Amino acid sequence: MTNTEPPIPSREPTYPTSGGLPIAPAVPLVTGYTPAELEALAGGRLVPAPLLDDRKVHIAYILLIFLGLLGVHKFYLGSIVWGIVYFFTLGLFGIGVIVDIFTLNSQTIRANQHRRGAAPR
């Protein structure tokens, strides 16, 4: 029995050059293959890339309870500026920590949406 599928042509990626020296790409190269060709090349073994892990609400609450005055929960959620503010003002003099007890769930949801690129900061 013969293989009726045509062979897939080789498409070597090309690198941009600067003065004759290749520049290493900062992002994965686009090879020009279609998804069907990639599937055929991988023999059906393609697996989607994992998404970024979501920030967990329970971990954020644990950080808030034990290290909230230092703003560690803000750093965990990606709010670096607010984490620094909390650190130097001891959680906005404690008032910010009390507010965060009631709003941490929505802050975590917003941080996860931001990490996925679905919500503006």
Side-chain angles (χ1 to χ4, degrees), residues 82-101:
W82 278 109
I84 293 169
V85 170
Y86 271 50
F87 182 81
F88 286 110
T89 62
L90 290 178
L92 294 174
F93 308 107
I95 297 170
V97 174
I98 293 169
V99 170
D100 285 347
I101 290 171

Side-chain angles (χ1 to χ4, degrees), residues 2 19 30 38 52 58 73 81 86 88 90 93 101 106 108 110:
T2 61
V30 177
L38 287 174
L52 293 172
H58 65 279
H73 64 291
V81 174
Y86 271 50
F88 286 110
L90 290 178
F93 308 107
I101 290 171
S106 63
T108 306
R110 193 175 324 116

Side-chain angles (χ1 to χ4, degrees), residues 20-117:
L21 299 173
I23 300 171
V27 295
L29 294 174
V30 177
T31 61
Y33 289 112
T34 65
E37 291 172 331
L38 287 174
E39 186 74 27
L41 285 173
R45 297 183 311 267
L46 289 181
V47 178
L51 297 175
L52 293 172
D53 288 339
D54 284 344
R55 296 298 186 207
K56 308 286 190 264
V57 176
H58 65 279
I59 293 175
Y61 270 111
I62 290 170
L63 293 173
L64 173 65
I65 291 167
F66 292 107
L67 299 168
L69 291 175
L70 298 177
V72 174
H73 64 291
K74 293 290 190 181
F75 288 110
Y76 175 71
L77 294 177
S79 299
I80 306 302
V81 174
W82 278 109
I84 293 169
V85 170
Y86 271 50
F87 182 81
F88 286 110
T89 62
L90 290 178
L92 294 174
F93 308 107
I95 297 170
V97 174
I98 293 169
V99 170
D100 285 347
I101 290 171
F102 299 103
T103 62
L104 196 60
N105 189 41
S106 63
Q107 290 179 38
T108 306
I109 292 169
R110 193 175 324 116
N112 287 332
Q113 288 173 343
H114 176 70
R115 287 170 57 83
R116 291 186 213 116

